[in-house]
Amino acid sequence: MAGDYVDYPFHFDEKGRSAVTSADDHVLDMIHQVLFTNPGERVNRPDFGCGLARLVFAPGHSALATATQFLVHGALQRWLAEVVQVESIDVIPGEARLTVEVVYTRLDTGERRRDRFTSARLEV
């Protein structure tokens, strides 16, 4: 993955052009989209995403955390298997938010990363 990628969410840069981002940020953007897109939101890909945002207000017990780990891992492997190799998922329920820590290796660079995604916001 070399070059510039259209930034997510889509916006314009200071010159009025489509904003672009680096390959590192693009991978984070793709993971974020898989995590927080609800199945059925995308017209031509109705099964895309894992709907993590819907689980924010679900009871935060260990069974839900375990099920969410499998849900996230499966969705990332399905949609981003050519981009990342997921090593582990950790789900941390909180008050009115859900934090998911994803440990993965980028397949294009071999770089191992650990990133946190919270509710509908990204924390890196």
Side-chain angles (χ1 to χ4, degrees):
M1 294 180 131
D4 293 326
Y5 300 87
V6 175
D7 200 10
Y8 170 82
F10 180 81
H11 61 281
F12 297 104
D13 66 12
E14 62 278 351
K15 294 181 181 180
R17 298 180 297 198
S18 298
V20 294
T21 191
S22 67
D24 283 341
D25 191 54
H26 180 64
V27 171
L28 290 173
D29 290 346
M30 288 190 295
I31 294 171
H32 188 269
Q33 289 177 59
V34 170
L35 295 180
F36 295 103
T37 299
N38 291 320
E41 278 185 27
R42 299 240 173 136
V43 175
N44 293 322
R45 293 208 187 260
D47 52 345
F48 178 83
C50 68
L52 201 57
R54 293 183 296 187
L55 300 174
V56 170
F57 298 106
H61 53 77
S62 62
L64 178 64
T66 302
T68 303
Q69 287 173 328
F70 284 109
L71 174 73
V72 169
H73 191 275
L76 290 174
Q77 283 303 113
R78 177 173 184 197
W79 297 106
L80 299 179
E82 295 178 5
V83 178
V84 298
Q85 174 63 48
V86 178
E87 294 179 28
S88 68
I89 306 290
D90 190 24
V91 177
I92 306 134
E95 187 174 317
R97 71 186 216 171
L98 188 66
T99 301
V100 175
E101 185 175 85
V102 181
V103 178
Y104 61 95
T105 301
R106 283 187 44 187
L107 298 179
D108 62 339
T109 64
E111 177 187 12
R112 187 173 187 261
R113 304 261 330 219
R114 177 184 306 267
D115 292 310
R116 288 184 146 208
F117 301 84
T118 301
S119 300
R121 273 189 45 151
L122 172 66
E123 288 182 351
V124 178

